[in-house]
Amino acid sequence: MRVYYLRGVPDIYRGVLVTGGKRIDFVKQFSGKPIVHPLPDVTIEWDPTALRFPKGDYPALSANTPIFTRRAVTALADLLEGNGELIPISVSGEEHYLFNVTRVIDALDESRSSAVRFDDGRIMYVKVHYLFADRIGDAPIFKIPQTVNSDVFVTDEFVTRVESARLKGFLFPFLWSLDETGETTRELGFFD
Protein backbone atom coordinates (compact mmCIF):
# COMPACT_ATOMS: atom_id res chain seq x y z
CA MET A 1 0.00 0.00 0.00
CA ARG A 2 1.19 3.47 -0.92
CA VAL A 3 -0.35 6.78 0.12
CA TYR A 4 0.01 10.10 -1.67
CA TYR A 5 -1.03 13.70 -1.19
CA LEU A 6 -3.72 14.86 -3.63
CA ARG A 7 -2.49 18.02 -5.36
CA GLY A 8 -2.94 19.94 -8.59
CA VAL A 9 -0.15 20.71 -11.02
CA PRO A 10 0.61 24.44 -10.79
CA ASP A 11 2.36 26.14 -13.69
CA ILE A 12 1.35 23.33 -16.07
CA TYR A 13 -2.44 23.28 -15.80
CA ARG A 14 -4.78 26.15 -15.04
CA GLY A 15 -5.79 26.62 -11.42
CA VAL A 16 -8.72 28.43 -9.84
CA LEU A 17 -9.08 31.12 -7.19
CA VAL A 18 -11.78 32.32 -4.84
CA THR A 19 -12.23 35.81 -6.28
CA GLY A 20 -15.33 36.98 -4.46
CA GLY A 21 -16.39 36.34 -0.88
CA LYS A 22 -14.39 35.21 2.12
CA ARG A 23 -11.92 32.51 1.07
CA ILE A 24 -11.03 31.49 4.63
CA ASP A 25 -14.68 30.97 5.65
CA PHE A 26 -15.21 28.98 2.46
CA VAL A 27 -12.20 26.68 2.91
CA LYS A 28 -12.97 26.10 6.62
CA GLN A 29 -16.20 24.35 5.58
CA PHE A 30 -14.11 21.45 4.20
CA SER A 31 -13.13 20.10 7.61
CA GLY A 32 -13.98 16.42 7.24
CA LYS A 33 -17.60 16.82 8.29
CA PRO A 34 -20.71 17.04 6.11
CA ILE A 35 -21.57 20.59 5.17
CA VAL A 36 -24.90 21.37 6.83
CA HIS A 37 -25.08 25.06 6.08
CA PRO A 38 -24.97 26.58 2.63
CA LEU A 39 -21.44 27.37 1.53
CA PRO A 40 -20.45 30.98 2.04
CA ASP A 41 -21.24 33.04 -1.03
CA VAL A 42 -18.05 32.94 -3.09
CA THR A 43 -17.06 33.30 -6.69
CA ILE A 44 -14.54 30.85 -8.14
CA GLU A 45 -12.78 31.80 -11.34
CA TRP A 46 -9.77 30.74 -13.37
CA ASP A 47 -6.53 32.12 -11.98
CA PRO A 48 -5.84 35.11 -14.27
CA THR A 49 -2.08 34.54 -14.01
CA ALA A 50 -2.48 31.01 -15.41
CA LEU A 51 -4.81 31.54 -18.36
CA ARG A 52 -2.01 30.56 -20.76
CA PHE A 53 -2.06 27.00 -19.38
CA PRO A 54 -4.48 24.31 -20.57
CA LYS A 55 -7.44 23.25 -18.44
CA GLY A 56 -7.09 19.95 -16.62
CA ASP A 57 -9.52 17.73 -14.77
CA TYR A 58 -8.26 18.89 -11.38
CA PRO A 59 -7.93 22.69 -11.32
CA ALA A 60 -6.19 23.13 -7.98
CA LEU A 61 -7.95 25.35 -5.45
CA SER A 62 -6.49 24.46 -2.03
CA ALA A 63 -4.93 21.38 -0.46
CA ASN A 64 -8.03 20.51 1.56
CA THR A 65 -10.64 21.34 -1.09
CA PRO A 66 -10.53 19.11 -4.18
CA ILE A 67 -12.31 20.35 -7.29
CA PHE A 68 -13.04 18.13 -10.29
CA THR A 69 -14.45 18.39 -13.78
CA ARG A 70 -17.51 16.31 -14.70
CA ARG A 71 -15.14 14.02 -16.64
CA ALA A 72 -13.13 13.37 -13.46
CA VAL A 73 -16.26 12.82 -11.35
CA THR A 74 -17.53 10.27 -13.87
CA ALA A 75 -14.20 8.40 -13.91
CA LEU A 76 -13.81 8.46 -10.12
CA ALA A 77 -17.49 8.12 -9.10
CA ASP A 78 -17.26 4.81 -7.26
CA LEU A 79 -14.10 5.93 -5.41
CA LEU A 80 -15.69 9.19 -4.31
CA GLU A 81 -19.00 7.64 -3.27
CA GLY A 82 -19.20 7.12 0.46
CA ASN A 83 -16.03 9.13 1.07
CA GLY A 84 -17.41 12.64 0.81
CA GLU A 85 -19.88 15.05 -0.75
CA LEU A 86 -19.94 16.34 -4.32
CA ILE A 87 -20.99 19.98 -4.49
CA PRO A 88 -21.72 21.49 -7.92
CA ILE A 89 -20.01 24.82 -8.49
CA SER A 90 -19.50 27.14 -11.41
CA VAL A 91 -15.97 28.13 -12.41
CA SER A 92 -16.24 31.14 -14.70
CA GLY A 93 -19.56 29.72 -15.94
CA GLU A 94 -18.24 26.15 -16.40
CA GLU A 95 -19.56 23.13 -14.47
CA HIS A 96 -17.22 21.73 -11.82
CA TYR A 97 -17.61 19.86 -8.54
CA LEU A 98 -16.07 20.55 -5.17
CA PHE A 99 -15.45 17.40 -3.17
CA ASN A 100 -15.84 17.63 0.59
CA VAL A 101 -13.85 14.65 1.90
CA THR A 102 -15.74 13.31 4.93
CA ARG A 103 -13.84 10.06 5.36
CA VAL A 104 -11.53 10.93 8.26
CA ILE A 105 -9.36 8.06 9.46
CA ASP A 106 -7.27 8.16 12.62
CA ALA A 107 -4.37 6.51 10.79
CA LEU A 108 -1.40 8.62 11.90
CA ASP A 109 1.07 6.76 14.12
CA GLU A 110 2.02 9.81 16.17
CA SER A 111 4.69 7.92 18.13
CA ARG A 112 6.70 7.27 14.94
CA SER A 113 5.79 10.40 12.98
CA SER A 114 7.54 13.75 13.25
CA ALA A 115 5.31 16.80 13.69
CA VAL A 116 5.50 20.47 14.52
CA ARG A 117 3.06 21.32 17.28
CA PHE A 118 1.27 24.39 18.55
CA ASP A 119 1.92 25.46 22.15
CA ASP A 120 -1.22 23.59 23.26
CA GLY A 121 0.10 20.29 21.82
CA ARG A 122 -2.09 20.14 18.71
CA ILE A 123 -0.30 19.27 15.49
CA MET A 124 0.42 22.24 13.22
CA TYR A 125 1.79 20.02 10.45
CA VAL A 126 3.37 16.61 10.05
CA LYS A 127 6.93 16.53 8.70
CA VAL A 128 7.26 12.73 8.47
CA HIS A 129 4.20 10.48 8.30
CA TYR A 130 3.95 6.91 9.57
CA LEU A 131 0.51 5.44 9.09
CA PHE A 132 -1.46 2.42 10.29
CA ALA A 133 -2.27 0.55 7.06
CA ASP A 134 -4.97 -1.56 8.73
CA ARG A 135 -6.88 1.60 9.66
CA ILE A 136 -6.73 2.93 6.09
CA GLY A 137 -8.03 -0.37 4.76
CA ASP A 138 -9.58 0.07 1.33
CA ALA A 139 -10.16 3.84 1.57
CA PRO A 140 -9.15 5.39 -1.78
CA ILE A 141 -9.38 9.00 -0.53
CA PHE A 142 -9.33 10.29 3.05
CA LYS A 143 -8.14 12.82 5.60
CA ILE A 144 -6.59 12.34 9.02
CA PRO A 145 -7.90 14.22 12.08
CA GLN A 146 -4.54 15.84 12.86
CA THR A 147 -4.46 17.75 9.53
CA VAL A 148 -8.13 17.68 8.53
CA ASN A 149 -8.03 21.33 7.47
CA SER A 150 -4.91 21.06 5.34
CA ASP A 151 -4.46 17.76 3.47
CA VAL A 152 -6.27 15.15 1.39
CA PHE A 153 -4.65 11.76 0.88
CA VAL A 154 -5.21 9.07 -1.75
CA THR A 155 -4.05 5.50 -2.21
CA ASP A 156 -2.79 3.52 -5.19
CA GLU A 157 -6.33 2.67 -6.26
CA PHE A 158 -7.15 6.35 -6.76
CA VAL A 159 -3.87 7.07 -8.58
CA THR A 160 -4.32 4.06 -10.85
CA ARG A 161 -7.85 5.16 -11.75
CA VAL A 162 -6.67 8.67 -12.61
CA GLU A 163 -3.95 7.17 -14.82
CA SER A 164 -6.24 4.69 -16.57
CA ALA A 165 -8.86 7.39 -17.25
CA ARG A 166 -6.08 9.67 -18.56
CA LEU A 167 -7.23 12.51 -16.33
CA LYS A 168 -5.03 15.57 -16.43
CA GLY A 169 -3.76 18.04 -13.88
CA PHE A 170 -3.33 15.71 -10.90
CA LEU A 171 -0.13 15.58 -8.86
CA PHE A 172 0.53 12.82 -6.34
CA PRO A 173 3.53 13.58 -4.11
CA PHE A 174 4.50 10.36 -2.37
CA LEU A 175 3.70 10.33 1.35
CA TRP A 176 4.10 6.85 2.80
CA SER A 177 4.39 3.18 1.91
CA LEU A 178 3.66 0.08 3.93
CA ASP A 179 7.01 -1.29 2.84
CA GLU A 180 8.58 2.17 3.18
CA THR A 181 10.29 1.97 -0.23
CA GLY A 182 10.21 5.72 -0.74
CA GLU A 183 8.64 6.04 -4.17
CA THR A 184 9.02 9.38 -5.87
CA THR A 185 6.29 11.86 -6.78
CA ARG A 186 3.92 10.79 -9.55
CA GLU A 187 2.95 13.60 -11.87
CA LEU A 188 0.18 12.96 -14.37
CA GLY A 189 -0.88 14.82 -17.45
CA PHE A 190 2.44 16.13 -18.71
CA PHE A 191 2.85 13.88 -21.72
CA ASP A 192 -0.75 13.05 -22.66
Side-chain angles (χ1 to χ4, degrees):
M1 168 188 288
R2 287 182 295 277
V3 177
Y4 306 86
Y5 291 101
L6 174 60
R7 297 286 193 265
V9 184
D11 301 327
I12 301 294
Y13 286 93
R14 199 179 299 186
V16 294
L17 298 171
V18 174
T19 58
K22 295 184 178 181
R23 182 185 185 281
I24 292 177
D25 291 343
F26 171 75
V27 172
K28 281 183 183 178
Q29 293 286 311
F30 296 84
S31 63
K33 297 177 182 169
I35 296 174
V36 294
H37 302 291
L39 287 173
D41 189 22
V42 297
T43 304
I44 298 178
E45 296 179 358
W46 295 111
D47 180 348
T49 66
L51 293 177
R52 68 187 180 280
F53 300 124
K55 295 175 185 175
D57 295 297
Y58 187 76
L61 176 62
S62 73
N64 79 325
T65 313
I67 183 169
F68 303 115
T69 60
R70 172 167 289 290
R71 180 175 178 258
V73 167
T74 300
L76 302 170
D78 61 313
L79 302 182
L80 300 175
E81 185 177 331
N83 293 304
E85 305 171 308
L86 282 169
I87 302 164
I89 190 132
S90 174
V91 174
S92 299
E94 299 173 26
E95 177 185 44
H96 283 76
Y97 294 85
L98 296 166
F99 188 65
N100 179 31
V101 179
T102 58
R103 184 136 187 206
V104 180
I105 302 171
D106 191 9
L108 184 68
D109 181 346
E110 289 191 38
S111 68
R112 295 180 68 200
S113 298
S114 172
V116 174
R117 295 180 181 271
F118 292 105
D119 290 340
D120 64 6
R122 290 179 300 123
I123 291 178
M124 183 183 306
Y125 65 91
V126 181
K127 296 192 306 188
V128 178
H129 291 77
Y130 282 91
L131 303 173
F132 295 110
D134 59 324
R135 294 184 187 177
I136 297 168
D138 63 355
I141 184 168
F142 64 96
K143 291 183 173 188
I144 59 175
Q146 294 85 350
T147 58
V148 75
N149 288 314
S150 58
D151 291 310
V152 174
F153 306 106
V154 297
T155 59
D156 289 316
E157 181 180 17
F158 191 95
V159 173
T160 299
R161 181 69 61 81
V162 167
E163 289 174 337
S164 66
R166 300 182 59 83
L167 298 175
K168 298 178 183 180
F170 287 81
L171 179 67
F172 300 107
F174 176 76
L175 176 71
W176 175 85
S177 175
L178 180 59
D179 60 6
E180 300 176 14
T181 58
E183 183 175 315
T184 59
T185 298
R186 293 174 75 171
E187 299 174 357
L188 300 180
F190 290 109
F191 307 107
D192 294 350

